[in-house]
């Protein structure tokens, strides 16, 4: 547990003032007195220990704007993990993201604030399931969403994220592809490619709950609404949206097109985080919480950095084959 000795001194108040300016719409002033010393101590420890904090776009704003060095979607975090010179990487996201960082940096210490931060997609498929799919579809290469365990990545030909799934599929010299484990991402990509995708029945417990009628109801209340959906949503939901893309691609769309009123059909913290650099945009917030992402909190990050635990481990014999699949993904040229 984090100690209570951290104090909201005038120095802490001064150092954290620029962060508070970003967070003031989310954090009541009274809470800031407790939060600011934790943020300040995490930022001090990062320098002392040459640690890098990678944070996914679904982290709460106090983490995203308060302590993260790099923020982004799964693809951006994997790329950063592959290139860092830090001694310690703290992954603020879910377990498969920390495993990816470990596979790319087996000699570094990779920390995650809560080892229980899982993912319904990752937990829905095993390496044995992949072997069975290969038996059913002989010769078809396996494209695996990064939201999977190291064991599944190790029996994969090439990984993908929601930001590059189409490019990865198109890069393969094959007409039939085993695409796992997200059935909805698979069906959304199937609409964009002539290749035949063999799918698995996995889904994201956050995105599979959105419905087309929810989107239609939003549009009937909000005129000129731009709806952006994550491709883990069912295709019927994506069909109601103006744009579908990874969390980072949604942000690029906003930067480029400046919509005035937006509904991001994805995890709840995304709108909070993106609203900070776009104060002129009105965010309508229909959202679902990811209970796994929400296990990561500032006090747990501080404990992890102080104790350098829990550290993420990956079986020695999985590292090389899983890395081949991740490297094959990182080698695919973006469009
Ligand atoms: P991206 O950030 O890659 O779009 O992924 C979303 C997600 O659900 C990660 O768990
Ligand atoms: Fe997994 Fe969905 Fe949570 Fe992402 S949002 S970590 S895909 S359960």
């Amino acid at each position: 547990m984090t100690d209570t000795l951290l104090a909201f001194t005038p120095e802490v108040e001064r150092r954290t003032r620029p962060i508070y300016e970003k967070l003031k719409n989310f954090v009541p002033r009274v809470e800031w007195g407790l939060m600011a010393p934790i943020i300040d101590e995490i930022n001090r420890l990062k320098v002392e220990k040459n640690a890098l904090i990678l944070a996914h776009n679904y982290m709460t704003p106090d983490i995203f704007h308060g302590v993260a060095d790099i923020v982004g979607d799964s693809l951006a975090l994997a790329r950063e993990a592959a290139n860092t010179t830090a001694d310690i990487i703290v992954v603020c996201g879910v377990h498969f993201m920390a495993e990816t960082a470990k596979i790319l940096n087996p000699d570094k210490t990779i920390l995650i604030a809560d080892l229980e931060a899982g993912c319904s997609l990752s937990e829905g498929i095993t390496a044995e399931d992949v072997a069975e799919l290969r038996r059913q579809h002989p010769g078809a290469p396996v494209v695996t969403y990064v939201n999977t365990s190291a064991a599944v990545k190790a029996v994969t030909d090439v990984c993908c994220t929601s930001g590059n799934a189409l490019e990865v599929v198109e890069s393969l010299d094959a007409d039939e592809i085993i695409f796992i484990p997200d059935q909805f991402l698979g069906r959304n990509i199937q609409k964009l490619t002539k290749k035949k995708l063999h799918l698995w029945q996995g889904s994201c417990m956050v995105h599979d709950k959105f419905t087309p009628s929810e989107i239609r109801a939003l549009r009937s209340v909000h005129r000129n609404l731009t709806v952006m959906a994550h491709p883990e949503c069912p295709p019927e939901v994506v069909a109601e949206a103006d744009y579908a893309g990874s969390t980072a691609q949604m942000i690029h769309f906003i930067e480029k097109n400046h919509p005035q009123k937006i509904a991001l059909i994805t995890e709840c913290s995304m709108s909070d985080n993106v609203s900070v650099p776009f104060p002129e945009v009105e965010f309508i917030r229909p959202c679902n919480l990811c209970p796994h992402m929400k296990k990561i909190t500032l006090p747990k990050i501080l404990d992890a950095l102080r104790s350098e635990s829990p550290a993420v481990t990956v079986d020695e014999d999985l590292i090389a084959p899983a890395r081949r699949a991740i490297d094959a993904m990182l080698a695919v040229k973006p469009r």
Side-chain angles (χ1 to χ4, degrees), residues 56 58 73-74 96-97 145 147 162 207 230 232 246-247 293:
H56 187 263
Y58 295 162
D73 64 359
S74 310
F96 75 79
M97 296 175 178
Y145 196 26
N147 299 37
S162 57
H207 292 93
H230 195 278
E232 288 173 7
S246 78
T247 54
M293 292 279 183

PDB file of all heavy atoms in Angstrom, residues 56 58 73-74 96-97 145 147 162 207 230 232 246-247 293, ligand 1:
ATOM      1  N   HIS A  56      -2.006   3.449 -22.248  1.00  0.00           N
ATOM      2  CA  HIS A  56      -3.008   3.288 -23.307  1.00  0.00           C
ATOM      3  C   HIS A  56      -4.048   4.402 -23.221  1.00  0.00           C
ATOM      4  O   HIS A  56      -4.280   4.980 -22.162  1.00  0.00           O
ATOM      5  CB  HIS A  56      -3.683   1.901 -23.189  1.00  0.00           C
ATOM      6  CG  HIS A  56      -4.589   1.624 -24.331  1.00  0.00           C
ATOM      7  ND1 HIS A  56      -5.950   1.832 -24.276  1.00  0.00           N
ATOM      8  CD2 HIS A  56      -4.338   1.202 -25.596  1.00  0.00           C
ATOM      9  CE1 HIS A  56      -6.493   1.527 -25.437  1.00  0.00           C
ATOM     10  NE2 HIS A  56      -5.525   1.139 -26.256  1.00  0.00           N
ATOM     11  N   TYR A  58      -7.033   4.321 -22.947  1.00  0.00           N
ATOM     12  CA  TYR A  58      -8.162   4.057 -22.034  1.00  0.00           C
ATOM     13  C   TYR A  58      -7.814   4.275 -20.567  1.00  0.00           C
ATOM     14  O   TYR A  58      -8.625   3.972 -19.687  1.00  0.00           O
ATOM     15  CB  TYR A  58      -8.664   2.608 -22.196  1.00  0.00           C
ATOM     16  CG  TYR A  58      -9.278   2.269 -23.528  1.00  0.00           C
ATOM     17  CD1 TYR A  58      -9.419   0.940 -23.920  1.00  0.00           C
ATOM     18  CD2 TYR A  58      -9.738   3.248 -24.392  1.00  0.00           C
ATOM     19  CE1 TYR A  58      -9.988   0.602 -25.136  1.00  0.00           C
ATOM     20  CE2 TYR A  58     -10.296   2.919 -25.617  1.00  0.00           C
ATOM     21  CZ  TYR A  58     -10.411   1.590 -25.982  1.00  0.00           C
ATOM     22  OH  TYR A  58     -10.964   1.258 -27.183  1.00  0.00           O
ATOM     23  N   ASP A  73      -2.372   4.105 -28.916  1.00  0.00           N
ATOM     24  CA  ASP A  73      -3.116   2.859 -29.098  1.00  0.00           C
ATOM     25  C   ASP A  73      -2.152   1.682 -28.935  1.00  0.00           C
ATOM     26  O   ASP A  73      -0.954   1.865 -28.696  1.00  0.00           O
ATOM     27  CB  ASP A  73      -3.862   2.845 -30.450  1.00  0.00           C
ATOM     28  CG  ASP A  73      -2.929   2.888 -31.653  1.00  0.00           C
ATOM     29  OD1 ASP A  73      -1.690   2.941 -31.477  1.00  0.00           O
ATOM     30  OD2 ASP A  73      -3.440   2.870 -32.785  1.00  0.00           O
ATOM     31  N   SER A  74      -2.659   0.467 -29.108  1.00  0.00           N
ATOM     32  CA  SER A  74      -1.821  -0.712 -28.887  1.00  0.00           C
ATOM     33  C   SER A  74      -0.617  -0.726 -29.829  1.00  0.00           C
ATOM     34  O   SER A  74       0.475  -1.147 -29.434  1.00  0.00           O
ATOM     35  CB  SER A  74      -2.632  -1.989 -29.125  1.00  0.00           C
ATOM     36  OG  SER A  74      -3.826  -1.939 -28.432  1.00  0.00           O
ATOM     37  N   PHE A  96      -1.755  -8.098 -21.631  1.00  0.00           N
ATOM     38  CA  PHE A  96      -1.152  -8.488 -22.910  1.00  0.00           C
ATOM     39  C   PHE A  96      -0.225  -7.390 -23.435  1.00  0.00           C
ATOM     40  O   PHE A  96       0.744  -7.671 -24.154  1.00  0.00           O
ATOM     41  CB  PHE A  96      -2.226  -8.884 -23.947  1.00  0.00           C
ATOM     42  CG  PHE A  96      -2.988  -7.738 -24.554  1.00  0.00           C
ATOM     43  CD1 PHE A  96      -2.455  -6.953 -25.564  1.00  0.00           C
ATOM     44  CD2 PHE A  96      -4.271  -7.447 -24.123  1.00  0.00           C
ATOM     45  CE1 PHE A  96      -3.160  -5.902 -26.124  1.00  0.00           C
ATOM     46  CE2 PHE A  96      -5.001  -6.402 -24.672  1.00  0.00           C
ATOM     47  CZ  PHE A  96      -4.438  -5.621 -25.671  1.00  0.00           C
ATOM     48  N   MET A  97      -0.524  -6.125 -23.091  1.00  0.00           N
ATOM     49  CA  MET A  97       0.335  -5.017 -23.546  1.00  0.00           C
ATOM     50  C   MET A  97       1.689  -5.091 -22.838  1.00  0.00           C
ATOM     51  O   MET A  97       2.739  -4.853 -23.457  1.00  0.00           O
ATOM     52  CB  MET A  97      -0.337  -3.679 -23.250  1.00  0.00           C
ATOM     53  CG  MET A  97      -1.626  -3.473 -24.017  1.00  0.00           C
ATOM     54  SD  MET A  97      -2.455  -1.954 -23.536  1.00  0.00           S
ATOM     55  CE  MET A  97      -3.859  -2.032 -24.666  1.00  0.00           C
ATOM     56  N   TYR A 145      -4.697 -10.815 -33.458  1.00  0.00           N
ATOM     57  CA  TYR A 145      -4.812  -9.507 -32.813  1.00  0.00           C
ATOM     58  C   TYR A 145      -3.873  -9.496 -31.604  1.00  0.00           C
ATOM     59  O   TYR A 145      -3.744 -10.515 -30.913  1.00  0.00           O
ATOM     60  CB  TYR A 145      -6.268  -9.370 -32.363  1.00  0.00           C
ATOM     61  CG  TYR A 145      -6.755  -7.992 -32.016  1.00  0.00           C
ATOM     62  CD1 TYR A 145      -6.192  -6.838 -32.565  1.00  0.00           C
ATOM     63  CD2 TYR A 145      -7.831  -7.830 -31.140  1.00  0.00           C
ATOM     64  CE1 TYR A 145      -6.677  -5.585 -32.243  1.00  0.00           C
ATOM     65  CE2 TYR A 145      -8.323  -6.579 -30.816  1.00  0.00           C
ATOM     66  CZ  TYR A 145      -7.741  -5.464 -31.363  1.00  0.00           C
ATOM     67  OH  TYR A 145      -8.241  -4.222 -31.044  1.00  0.00           O
ATOM     68  N   ASN A 147      -4.279  -8.451 -28.817  1.00  0.00           N
ATOM     69  CA  ASN A 147      -5.013  -8.718 -27.565  1.00  0.00           C
ATOM     70  C   ASN A 147      -5.079 -10.223 -27.298  1.00  0.00           C
ATOM     71  O   ASN A 147      -6.149 -10.831 -27.229  1.00  0.00           O
ATOM     72  CB  ASN A 147      -6.449  -8.175 -27.652  1.00  0.00           C
ATOM     73  CG  ASN A 147      -6.509  -6.681 -27.858  1.00  0.00           C
ATOM     74  OD1 ASN A 147      -5.679  -6.121 -28.571  1.00  0.00           O
ATOM     75  ND2 ASN A 147      -7.474  -6.030 -27.246  1.00  0.00           N
ATOM     76  N   SER A 162      -5.873  -3.081 -34.096  1.00  0.00           N
ATOM     77  CA  SER A 162      -7.021  -2.524 -34.820  1.00  0.00           C
ATOM     78  C   SER A 162      -6.562  -1.418 -35.767  1.00  0.00           C
ATOM     79  O   SER A 162      -7.275  -1.046 -36.680  1.00  0.00           O
ATOM     80  CB  SER A 162      -8.058  -1.988 -33.829  1.00  0.00           C
ATOM     81  OG  SER A 162      -7.455  -1.037 -32.990  1.00  0.00           O
ATOM     82  N   HIS A 207     -16.822  -3.437 -26.090  1.00  0.00           N
ATOM     83  CA  HIS A 207     -17.354  -2.976 -27.381  1.00  0.00           C
ATOM     84  C   HIS A 207     -18.518  -3.815 -27.888  1.00  0.00           C
ATOM     85  O   HIS A 207     -19.315  -3.338 -28.698  1.00  0.00           O
ATOM     86  CB  HIS A 207     -16.223  -2.944 -28.423  1.00  0.00           C
ATOM     87  CG  HIS A 207     -15.202  -1.889 -28.120  1.00  0.00           C
ATOM     88  ND1 HIS A 207     -14.053  -2.153 -27.395  1.00  0.00           N
ATOM     89  CD2 HIS A 207     -15.168  -0.573 -28.402  1.00  0.00           C
ATOM     90  CE1 HIS A 207     -13.354  -1.037 -27.261  1.00  0.00           C
ATOM     91  NE2 HIS A 207     -14.013  -0.060 -27.864  1.00  0.00           N
ATOM     92  N   HIS A 230     -15.072   2.127 -32.533  1.00  0.00           N
ATOM     93  CA  HIS A 230     -13.907   1.248 -32.566  1.00  0.00           C
ATOM     94  C   HIS A 230     -14.284  -0.019 -33.345  1.00  0.00           C
ATOM     95  O   HIS A 230     -15.400  -0.527 -33.192  1.00  0.00           O
ATOM     96  CB  HIS A 230     -13.485   0.892 -31.134  1.00  0.00           C
ATOM     97  CG  HIS A 230     -12.120   0.307 -31.079  1.00  0.00           C
ATOM     98  ND1 HIS A 230     -11.882  -1.024 -31.337  1.00  0.00           N
ATOM     99  CD2 HIS A 230     -10.918   0.871 -30.825  1.00  0.00           C
ATOM    100  CE1 HIS A 230     -10.581  -1.237 -31.239  1.00  0.00           C
ATOM    101  NE2 HIS A 230      -9.975  -0.107 -30.934  1.00  0.00           N
ATOM    102  N   GLU A 232     -13.720  -2.992 -32.830  1.00  0.00           N
ATOM    103  CA  GLU A 232     -14.115  -4.135 -32.000  1.00  0.00           C
ATOM    104  C   GLU A 232     -15.636  -4.144 -31.781  1.00  0.00           C
ATOM    105  O   GLU A 232     -16.174  -5.077 -31.184  1.00  0.00           O
ATOM    106  CB  GLU A 232     -13.414  -4.081 -30.634  1.00  0.00           C
ATOM    107  CG  GLU A 232     -11.932  -4.392 -30.686  1.00  0.00           C
ATOM    108  CD  GLU A 232     -11.234  -4.150 -29.341  1.00  0.00           C
ATOM    109  OE1 GLU A 232     -11.920  -3.874 -28.348  1.00  0.00           O
ATOM    110  OE2 GLU A 232      -9.988  -4.214 -29.316  1.00  0.00           O
ATOM    111  N   SER A 246      -8.905   2.629 -34.918  1.00  0.00           N
ATOM    112  CA  SER A 246      -8.307   2.384 -33.604  1.00  0.00           C
ATOM    113  C   SER A 246      -8.424   3.651 -32.774  1.00  0.00           C
ATOM    114  O   SER A 246      -8.762   4.732 -33.289  1.00  0.00           O
ATOM    115  CB  SER A 246      -6.834   2.006 -33.764  1.00  0.00           C
ATOM    116  OG  SER A 246      -6.061   3.173 -34.006  1.00  0.00           O
ATOM    117  N   THR A 247      -8.089   3.576 -31.500  1.00  0.00           N
ATOM    118  CA  THR A 247      -8.206   4.763 -30.650  1.00  0.00           C
ATOM    119  C   THR A 247      -7.322   5.898 -31.196  1.00  0.00           C
ATOM    120  O   THR A 247      -7.754   7.053 -31.225  1.00  0.00           O
ATOM    121  CB  THR A 247      -7.832   4.416 -29.197  1.00  0.00           C
ATOM    122  OG1 THR A 247      -6.540   3.811 -29.165  1.00  0.00           O
ATOM    123  CG2 THR A 247      -8.854   3.470 -28.585  1.00  0.00           C
ATOM    124  N   MET A 293      -8.926  -2.326 -17.595  1.00  0.00           N
ATOM    125  CA  MET A 293      -8.142  -1.085 -17.695  1.00  0.00           C
ATOM    126  C   MET A 293      -8.264  -0.286 -16.395  1.00  0.00           C
ATOM    127  O   MET A 293      -7.307   0.351 -15.951  1.00  0.00           O
ATOM    128  CB  MET A 293      -8.650  -0.236 -18.870  1.00  0.00           C
ATOM    129  CG  MET A 293      -8.372  -0.839 -20.234  1.00  0.00           C
ATOM    130  SD  MET A 293      -6.669  -0.484 -20.727  1.00  0.00           S
ATOM    131  CE  MET A 293      -6.641  -1.215 -22.366  1.00  0.00           C
TER     132      MET A 293
HETATM  133  P1  LIG B   1      -6.455   0.165 -29.789  1.00  0.00           P
HETATM  134  O1  LIG B   1      -6.010   1.207 -28.815  1.00  0.00           O
HETATM  135  O2  LIG B   1      -5.312  -0.475 -30.451  1.00  0.00           O
HETATM  136  O3  LIG B   1      -7.455   0.730 -30.726  1.00  0.00           O
HETATM  137  O4  LIG B   1      -7.130  -1.024 -28.965  1.00  0.00           O
HETATM  138  C1  LIG B   1      -8.244  -0.915 -28.211  1.00  0.00           C
HETATM  139  C2  LIG B   1      -8.313  -1.890 -27.136  1.00  0.00           C
HETATM  140  O5  LIG B   1      -9.349  -2.314 -26.752  1.00  0.00           O
HETATM  141  C3  LIG B   1      -7.098  -2.303 -26.478  1.00  0.00           C
HETATM  142  O6  LIG B   1      -7.418  -3.134 -25.481  1.00  0.00           O
END
